[in-house]
Amino acid sequence: MIKLDHVTKTYKNGTIALDDVSLEIEKGEFVFLVGSSGSGKTTFLRLLLREELPDRGTIWEAGRDIVNLPKWRVPYLRRNLGCVFQDFRLLQNKTVFENVAFALEVIGRPKSVIESQVPQVLDLVGLSHKRDNLPTELSGGEQQRVAIARAFVNRPLILLADEPTGNLDPKISEGIMSLLDRINKTGTTVVMATHDKALVDRMRLRVIELDRGHLIRDQQRGVYGIETDSGAQR
Amino acid sequence: MASFSQYVVKETTTNLWRNRVTTVAAIFTVMVSLFLVGGSLILGQGASNAEIKWQQGTLVTVWMAPNATSQEINAIRSQLDSFPYVHDCYYQTQLQDYEEAKHLLTATEFSVLKPEAIPSSIRCIPNQPQDAQLVIKKFTGQPGVLIPTAPTQALKNQQRTIAIAQWSVLIIASVLLVSSAVLILNTIRMAIFARKREVAVMKLVGATNWFIRVPFIFEGLLQGLIGSLMAGGLLWAGEWFWHSKSVNWAPDTLGSQMLLTSWQLVWCELVVIFLGMVIGSIGSAIAIRRFLDV
Ligand SMILES: Nc1ncnc2c1ncn2[C@@H]1O[C@H](COP(=O)(O)OP(=O)(O)O)[C@@H](O)[C@H]1O
Ligand SMILES: [Mg+2]
């Protein structure tokens, strides 16, 4: 589903954010991406979203070489990807329903599809009763659920999450985690960058660790990190 | 597609309303500049209408010396008849010219004139007004000829005045046209900034570049269009006012000679509306290129 082959990413200011990273993620896998701040997790996800291009190496996603994908095809690639961020990125002037509907609206889905899909996905994230509320009227956990609903409403093949629980307290994070787990169970590949040690240790899923741009660990049924790795933990 | 057009209409009206003050400023500038452009078009069209009317009425006159012999007069007449640039030549005797002078001059002036001191004349219609110059060149200094004349200088002066007026209006108009494009650019820029977060989400969920751009393009186009329609309305009202006044004017005044036909007016209006849409598109195209990173 996702394959990186000797991928290196250098930013314009000379920072090497990813250095010669190769890995493969199968369809339906759930992968934690861990590493201290600045280790390159966000860069990794941005490459998968094709918000950035690597200077070397190739990236395949859903059978396509996305590095050499022509620019006009990028939107069509992104329709197969859902993404969720630490800061939710909801539109403040739209209701819960409108925020989720927006994702379908702007890719030209007809009203009938919107009217059947949005309530379904709101039901999945448990927010049917708040469909007409504005984001400001929701808790952080609820806002993240809306963001997940928006990412998932178009049934993407891959869901990318960049520290989705970074702003939430542990109890709420558990809820978000189990929601992502449920989404993964529908066959969606999930890649989640996180700092949340408790979560990672409890789930015992595949863990990929980055350190200053290097892939230093790729472990099935892994844990957050070796206990001496203090910088990453809070 | 129905949902797309609904979406564009919804987004455009939201944007226009959000930036209503700058939008109104942009629309009014478009209106004023296109009103001037249209005015200059109408002026130009009017000038060429007047020129055609003048051409139809222009005569070239070869005044014969009062003491010219009839052989000399006949020689000039037959020369003119064989001349390909003129047609419909006729001879006015001294007595006929004397009668004409009676209408043209005041009574006191006329009282000192004597028929035998008045030159007789041969008058022809030139095929083209500039052909009158050929006649003047050809007959100046010929035996028996006093002086050949044509009212070309007066015509030239009037045309010059109109042309100067037309160009000044056009220069002012083009400065204003540029400013209105800049104002439209600015409203689109503000709309883009106001929707930064939305645009970011749109890109993330896979909206195509055109889908993101179209509401902004449409917004600029609409501002240009509304401004040009208002300018068109003003021009139409102005023409109508001119027409209604001109019924009291003599047909040989410049004002009535310049009057536009309905088709000419429609043509000017179409040019104005087209220009309005061009300005709107240019303004939004530049704003999109510079500020919308898609
Ligand atoms: N747009 C950018 N321009 C320059 N350097 C960047 C940019 N984004 C990230 N970096 C640098 O790249 C490295 C990796 O950053 P990032 O991928 O955000 O790490 P993480 O998400 O693991 O904290 C860091 O050193 C960061 O400072
Ligand atoms: Mg990060």
Side-chain angles (χ1 to χ4, degrees), chain A residues 76 78-79 85 90 105-106, chain B residues 10 197 203-204 206-208:
Chain A
Y76 301 97
R78 293 199 182 140
R79 291 177 191 188
F85 304 91
L90 298 177
E105 217 176 7
V106 301
Chain B
K10 196 178 77 188
R197 291 176 66 96
K203 284 198 262 189
L204 225 44
T208 58

Side-chain angles (χ1 to χ4, degrees), chain A residues 49 51 71 75-76 78-79 83 85 89-94 102-103 105-109 111 150, chain B residues 3 6-7 10-11 14 18 195 197-209 211 293-294:
Chain A
L49 275 170
E51 287 196 329
K71 211 174 167 207
Y76 301 97
R78 293 199 182 140
R79 291 177 191 188
C83 47
F85 304 91
R89 305 203 185 168
L90 298 177
L91 302 173
Q92 300 302 321
N93 57 343
K94 292 191 193 295
F102 189 68
E105 217 176 7
V106 301
I107 59 173
R109 294 283 184 272
K111 238 196 167 90
R150 180 178 68 189
Chain B
S3 72
Q6 266 173 18
Y7 164 82
K10 196 178 77 188
E11 291 302 316
T14 318
R18 179 157 40 204
R195 299 190 61 215
R197 291 176 66 96
E198 265 161 81
V199 169
V201 171
M202 288 167 92
K203 284 198 262 189
L204 225 44
V205 300
T208 58
N209 290 348
F211 200 96
D293 182 29
V294 297

Side-chain angles (χ1 to χ4, degrees), chain B residues 4 11 21 31 50 63 76 78 93-94 109 113 120 155-156 158 170 180 196 198 201 206 234 240 273 276-277 283:
Chain B
F4 181 57
E11 291 302 316
V21 176
M31 182 194 78
W63 299 99
I76 302 291
S78 58
T93 60
Q94 285 176 299
E109 285 168 337
L113 276 183
S120 64
L155 177 64
K156 283 257 149 56
Q158 254 173 9
L170 211 54
S180 44
K196 243 187 155 67
E198 265 161 81
V201 171
L234 281 180
W240 180 83
I273 290 166
M277 302 205 295

Side-chain angles (χ1 to χ4, degrees), chain B residues 102-123:
Chain B
K102 190 194 232 165
H103 298 295
L104 293 174
L105 301 177
T106 62
T108 2
E109 285 168 337
F110 183 70
S111 63
V112 301
L113 276 183
K114 294 207 164 47
E116 55 276 19
I118 297 254
S120 64
S121 59
I122 307 158
R123 303 180 180 197

Side-chain angles (χ1 to χ4, degrees), chain B residues 44 151 168 238 268:
Chain B
S168 334
C268 289

